[in-house]
Amino acid sequence: MTKHLLKDLLEQNQNTCSFTFKEITQKNSSLKLNEDTASVGFMYRHIGEIMHLISQFFGIPTTVQNTTMGEKDTGKVYQWEESKKLVEEGYQLLENLIENLSEKEWMETIDTPFFGSISRVKLFGHILYHNSYHCGQITLTLKRGSYL
């Protein structure tokens, strides 16, 4: 039952975010709402990095380096294709977790520096929330942003 529910949640997150992700291009990745907000490219990269970095708490090693978490957007230009690949691979990591963890393992508690001790399923839920949150920011920026 858990795997079926998690697969549905993951598929819905991918589907919902795909409407925004397909609108991101190298050109519009520098759009920002204002000087104090992150660019589309920064947020897109951030989504991909976080899926990889948080997956480490599930025991999945990564070579992805953090360039966005806890960082301010300095105007660095992120390569759209590289960020897209990180996001796609991140979703694949989550899909693999669903396939490989048992129902019991999903309920086990793991320690995180952000949330303390939480169940794996709660951390999975946070990743999906995080994706949706930033996807919404990207959508708004694509509609209302400018090249500052």
Side-chain angles (χ1 to χ4, degrees):
M1 177 64 130
T2 301
K3 287 185 183 200
H4 178 72
L5 292 172
L6 293 176
K7 280 182 185 180
D8 280 353
L9 291 171
L10 180 61
E11 285 176 18
Q12 187 58 48
N13 186 265
Q14 286 177 288
N15 185 47
T16 301
C17 290
S18 73
F19 295 108
T20 296
F21 293 162
K22 72 179 181 182
E23 298 300 321
I24 300 171
T25 65
Q26 188 64 52
K27 181 176 180 186
N28 68 19
S29 68
S30 62
L31 283 171
K32 294 176 86 171
L33 286 176
N34 60 53
E35 288 292 332
D36 295 325
T37 60
S39 67
V40 167
F42 184 92
M43 290 184 279
Y44 191 40
R45 172 73 183 207
H46 178 68
I47 291 169
E49 285 183 0
I50 292 302
M51 284 193 278
H52 287 267
L53 295 171
I54 290 183
S55 290
Q56 292 178 102
F57 296 111
F58 291 96
I60 299 171
T62 186
T63 59
V64 172
Q65 298 296 309
N66 174 41
T67 64
T68 59
M69 184 172 50
E71 302 295 328
K72 184 171 171 57
D73 185 349
T74 61
K76 176 182 176 180
V77 176
Y78 290 93
Q79 294 304 308
W80 168 82
E81 290 177 356
E82 186 178 308
S83 296
K84 181 180 183 207
K85 183 178 177 189
L86 281 176
V87 169
E88 289 170 352
E89 290 173 348
Y91 276 120
Q92 187 60 56
L93 283 172
L94 297 178
E95 192 173 316
N96 291 344
L97 280 171
I98 293 169
E99 288 300 320
N100 295 320
L101 291 177
S102 69
E103 192 141 340
K104 180 182 175 192
E105 289 172 308
W106 278 109
M107 298 305 141
E108 289 175 349
T109 301
I110 56 176
D111 293 320
T112 71
F114 312 109
F115 311 112
S117 295
I118 61 171
S119 68
R120 285 185 177 98
V121 75
K122 282 185 180 180
L123 186 58
F124 181 85
H126 176 75
I127 294 169
L128 299 182
Y129 164 78
H130 180 267
N131 290 354
S132 298
Y133 175 82
H134 288 301
C135 187
Q137 290 178 313
I138 292 170
T139 301
L140 180 61
T141 304
L142 288 171
K143 290 183 182 209
R144 304 275 189 249
S146 59
Y147 298 100
L148 301 174

